[in-house]
Structures are given as C-alpha cells and as structure tokens.
Amino acid sequence: MTAIFFISFLIIVLTFIIIGAIAVVLFGFNMIYVNLKTLVPWVKTPANNLEIILELINLPPHSLIYDLGCGDGRFLFLAEKKGLKAIGYELALYPYFKAKMNKFIKGSRVIIKNHDFFKQDLKAADAIFIFLNSMIMKKISEKLKQNLKPETLVISYGFEIPGWNLKKVLDTKPSKTYIY
Ligand SMILES: C[S@@+](CC[C@H](N)C(=O)[O-])C[C@H]1O[C@@H](n2cnc3c(N)ncnc32)[C@H](O)[C@@H]1O
C-alpha cells in the first residue's frame, strides 16, 4: 500500500517536473524568437516610474491608453486603477500569459492581446505608452504618425522619438521619460 502511494506520488511529481521543463523550453525558444524578430527584449519599467508617469499625464477618467509591448501588463493594471481604459499588445508568450494570469487574479477588465502592435489600428487611443529600444524608434515613429489622432499623447520611456517635438521630459530613473 505504502509502495503504491509512493509510486503514484513519484509519477505525479515527475509529470509536473516534465510539464514544467517543457514549458520553460517552449517559453525560452519563443522569447528568443520574438527578441530576434522585434529587436525588443522584455524589460520591465520600474513600478514607481509608472506611478510618476500616470500622475503627471493626469488623463481624464475613462480615457483610452495603450501600452505597445505591454510585458506583464503592469502599466495597464495601474492605468485601470487610475480610472483609465487600457489595452496592451504583447508578442512574447511568457509575459503575455503572465499578464493574462495577473488580469485573472486581479479581476481586471484591461484588454491584453498576443498581437503585433504594428498591425493594429490605434486611432481610438487618447494616449500611447511605449518602452521599446533605439533601433525601432524610427519605425514606431512612422506608425504613430500615420495612425494616431493629432491630439493623442505619446509617452516614451527610455528612448526619444527622432524628429518629434517634445512637450516634456520627466527625470525618471534610471531612464528619462519623453512626452510628446
Ligand atoms: C521593454 S519591454 C516593456 C514592457 C512593458 N511595457 C513595461 O514597460 O514594463 C517591451 C516589450 O514589447 C514587446 N514587443 C516588441 N515588439 C512588439 C510588437 N511588434 N508587438 C507586440 N509586442 C512587442 C516585447 O516582447 C517586450 O516584452
């Protein structure tokens, strides 16, 4: 009896270990693939900076804000807490599923999609948040120029958008935040 119990326990533990290992490998390969394709790794904006940014931009309640490349959704959840509607796009599966799990745990109503933000229509946005990297700022600049309402606020953490007129620079750390 004890042996059967022990073997069943061992099988269950081994199954969990194997499923876990497969998930780690799949998420790992997907992360490498997405990094190579987009040239943007998943790096989190420090939470206190997100607080500072949302305080400062002070959007009216129910404004629609997008996070293009939303990682684990941290910006979306904070924006929702401040009374905004929030939509995020994330291509990498690990942060995407983490964001979805956080959404479920928090009972949040933010929208999180596993889509390429370059292929989305962003015309409804009142504000856009981005934390990308210098190599794709020109490309995102073209996309935003063609696809936003003129009054849409654009907030870029860490990287300036080349050729755009700055409204304000926030002295967030370790990187500055550029508002257009
Ligand atoms: C530097 S991280 C920022 C994460 C989050 N916005 C934050 O501030 O914590 C950028 C994210 O954008 C995602 N990403 C890059 N290009 C993308 C694209 N074209 N469509 C959707 N997600 C993209 C990456 O997978 C990465 O997780």
Side-chain angles (χ1 to χ4, degrees):
M1 193 68 182
T2 322
I4 290 172
F5 178 76
F6 180 71
I7 289 166
S8 312
F9 178 73
L10 209 65
I11 288 171
I12 290 169
V13 170
L14 276 176
T15 309
F16 272 107
I17 290 174
I18 290 165
I19 291 172
I22 291 170
V24 168
V25 170
L26 288 181
F27 281 142
F29 276 121
N30 173 264
M31 193 77 103
I32 293 167
Y33 170 73
V34 171
N35 284 358
L36 291 174
K37 188 177 161 196
T38 64
L39 304 174
V40 187
W42 176 34
V43 182
K44 300 170 194 174
T45 305
N48 60 322
N49 287 343
L50 298 179
E51 280 281 357
I52 294 170
I53 291 165
L54 284 167
E55 278 297 310
L56 192 114
I57 60 174
N58 195 22
L59 289 170
H62 311 298
S63 299
L64 177 59
I65 192 160
Y66 284 69
D67 183 355
L68 305 184
C70 66
D72 60 7
R74 51 183 48 214
F75 184 77
L76 307 175
F77 301 126
L78 200 56
E80 180 182 49
K81 221 167 122 186
K82 308 252 178 223
L84 307 178
K85 287 186 275 178
I87 299 178
Y89 296 108
E90 176 52 60
L91 270 186
L93 287 178
Y94 176 64
Y96 167 74
F97 280 124
K98 196 161 178 233
K100 286 293 237 187
M101 206 174 71
N102 287 341
K103 174 179 152 124
F104 176 73
I105 291 167
K106 289 173 194 284
S108 160
R109 300 179 68 181
V110 302
I111 295 171
I112 304 162
K113 293 192 173 160
N114 180 227
H115 292 164
D116 183 342
F117 57 70
F118 279 109
K119 296 182 182 156
Q120 306 308 311
D121 184 1
L122 306 172
K123 279 204 189 71
D126 298 305
I128 297 275
F129 175 71
I130 49 175
F131 173 25
L132 299 169
N133 94 29
S134 55
M135 280 182 283
I136 69 158
M137 293 317 279
K138 227 175 136 52
K139 188 174 172 197
I140 189 76
S141 159
E142 291 310 313
K143 162 78 181 162
L144 298 181
K145 263 194 236 166
Q146 287 163 18
N147 200 210
L148 293 185
K149 297 183 287 197
E151 66 273 22
T152 303
L153 203 64
V154 176
I155 305 121
S156 177
Y157 178 69
F159 302 96
E160 287 187 67
I161 309 181
W164 283 40
N165 291 330
L166 262 172
K167 278 205 179 93
K168 205 176 180 87
V169 181
L170 304 186
D171 195 18
T172 42
K173 307 245 169 3
S175 303
K176 290 191 165 68
T177 303
Y178 304 92
I179 300 183
Y180 300 92

